[in-house]
Amino acid sequence: MRDDRNKWPVTVESERPNLVRDTVSMRQVSLARQTVISGNFEDCLTLSGLETAVGGGTDFASGDTYALRQRRDRIVMINAPDIADGWHSEHNVAVSDMTSAYSVIEMTGARVEQLVATGTEFNGDHASASVSRLWHGFGILLYRYGDVDVFRMHVRSALADAVWNMLERQIDSLASVWADQGDIGEMAKDMDGAKLTCKEVS
């Protein structure tokens, strides 16, 4: 495997404020460490010390430390203990510190899945073996974190601004749709609560 351990510059923390709009909130998440382990999947897990890696769809990540299944022969460890970079012959896997390679955006709200669906096919009821996706042409890692309405999206750090701006544009484009859905919801409530008087036919 190619040695990319010194390829990534130190991440510069963004001063971008959190965004809250139309019941969707977005924020950047700072992770202490992101480590890629490549090789046989079971060997990757053995070195990671974890029993499983989170996939897409129905899977949820939780806690401070977890693993993501990026593809069939690669996992991404989140906030894992420091593992030496390079080839680990005892496990037949390669390790790369990718902390600076990915920025992480966390999105929260009941409409986040609709936001995600503007750029990729996603069905939260269908399991997926991998968290890797293309979203509006951007290569991302996408998964639920802790709750059904919370998603985390890992993007290449150099593309973080472009992805954030695309998310904002998609929220703007969905605003009228969401407003109509809100109106329909209020109408349904009114109809459910309405008391109609009926005149008996004599």
Side-chain angles (χ1 to χ4, degrees):
M1 177 182 175
R2 187 179 62 220
D3 185 355
D4 286 336
R5 61 183 136 172
N6 298 313
K7 181 176 180 179
W8 313 109
V10 176
T11 301
V12 177
E13 291 296 330
S14 172
E15 296 182 357
R16 181 187 292 107
N18 297 349
L19 180 146
V20 180
R21 189 184 303 166
D22 292 305
T23 73
V24 171
S25 64
M26 299 195 312
R27 68 184 184 102
Q28 281 196 284
V29 176
S30 179
L31 300 177
R33 185 174 173 86
Q34 299 180 74
T35 306
V36 168
I37 306 178
S38 301
N40 178 273
F41 179 65
E42 297 300 331
D43 293 336
C44 292
L45 283 180
T46 298
L47 181 59
S48 76
L50 297 179
E51 295 182 356
T52 188
V54 174
T58 55
D59 278 2
F60 288 76
S62 62
D64 293 328
T65 300
Y66 52 92
L68 306 172
R69 188 163 189 177
Q70 185 173 9
R71 62 190 199 198
R72 64 182 180 179
D73 60 351
R74 178 172 294 177
I75 67 173
V76 182
M77 292 289 300
I78 306 302
N79 295 332
D82 190 0
I83 303 174
D85 281 351
W87 180 253
H88 289 244
S89 58
E90 69 278 20
H91 293 95
N92 292 317
V93 299
V95 175
S96 295
D97 181 355
M98 300 285 279
T99 304
S100 295
Y102 291 109
S103 294
V104 183
I105 300 171
E106 186 174 276
M107 301 168 288
T108 304
R111 288 168 167 160
V112 171
E113 190 167 335
Q114 286 180 279
L115 174 60
V116 168
T118 65
T120 189
E121 183 179 352
F122 183 88
N123 188 327
D125 295 328
H126 295 169
S128 174
S130 171
V131 297
S132 293
R133 291 181 179 273
L134 276 178
W135 186 79
H136 287 287
F138 297 102
I140 64 167
L141 309 180
L142 179 72
Y143 57 98
R144 283 179 162 134
Y145 179 78
D147 197 359
V148 66
D149 291 334
V150 181
F151 287 75
R152 282 188 173 179
M153 181 185 288
H154 297 232
V155 302
R156 290 290 186 173
S157 296
L159 300 175
D161 288 338
V163 171
W164 183 278
N165 292 336
M166 177 62 79
L167 285 164
E168 286 198 77
R169 289 200 296 273
Q170 295 309 309
I171 291 173
D172 288 341
S173 68
L174 287 169
S176 60
V177 175
W178 289 342
D180 290 342
Q181 289 175 346
D183 292 341
I184 292 172
E186 291 302 317
M187 290 173 61
K189 289 180 184 177
D190 292 341
M191 291 180 67
D192 288 342
K195 293 182 179 180
L196 302 179
T197 56
C198 298
K199 184 176 180 180
E200 291 186 7
V201 178
S202 54

